[in-house]
Amino acid sequence: DGGITQSPKYLFRKEGQNVTLSCEQNLNHDAMYWYRQDPGQGLRLIYYSQIVNDFQKGDIAEGYSVSREKKESFPLTVTSAQKNPTAFYLCASSIDGPGAHRTQHFGDGTRLSIL
Amino acid sequence: GQSLEQPSEVTAVEGAIVQINCTYQTSGFYGLSWYQQHDGGAPTFLSYNALDGLEETGRFSSFLSRSDSYGYLLLQELQMKDSASYFCAVRDRGDDKIIFGKGTRLHILP
């Protein structure tokens, strides 16, 4: 079955440490996204990528970095510059193209906490 | 700027009908989507309106009026399992970003 796999499900970060969240999809989707969700809040866009080797900053990109070396993979690194990283991180993918019926498929998320 | 407004919480009774509204401000967008998210889970796609009017998918319907910058999700024959958060989202035509509302928490009473 096609889908999006995020790992790990839970992650703990120490002060000054960079951590990387994995996101892999086998839906053959061109576009991939990373969102952050805080308790009782909506989804805020961190980064998105519409094609391999290209990505754009979302609304809250500071303290995060991404790469898109393969169509299937869009890892997110939470750097030590992100002072408040505790949140639920969601990866999504979608088909692309103007006028296409656009839906996003989400992974099950990664919960990141500070030790 | 771009923004979507939804009520933070709505309460309804099992078996009843509930409407969740979404108003938006954006210079242009491709369509309005709705997602459901249960506690601790990932959002799942419910419905999409590319054009004005009503889209029906089983117990769920969604409506869009571009002239009024307004849409809503209608849930009929409410079941306890419908207790969740519901998000509206648009894809901005200018920068292609998908923008989510802050979500509406639906509480269902027996």
Side-chain angles (χ1 to χ4, degrees), chain A residues 67-85:
Chain A
S67 63
R68 187 85 187 277
E69 297 177 1
K70 298 186 301 181
K71 187 176 185 177
E72 304 80 24
S73 179
F74 192 40
L76 173 74
T77 297
V78 184
T79 74
S80 56
Q82 174 48 248
K83 299 305 180 186
N84 184 24

Side-chain angles (χ1 to χ4, degrees), chain A residues 99-103, chain B residues 30-34 45-50 55 62:
Chain A
H101 183 172
R102 303 178 189 222
T103 66
Chain B
Y30 289 111
L32 182 69
S33 300
W34 288 92
F45 171 78
L46 288 178
S47 186
Y48 175 77
N49 292 74
E55 290 283 341
S62 59

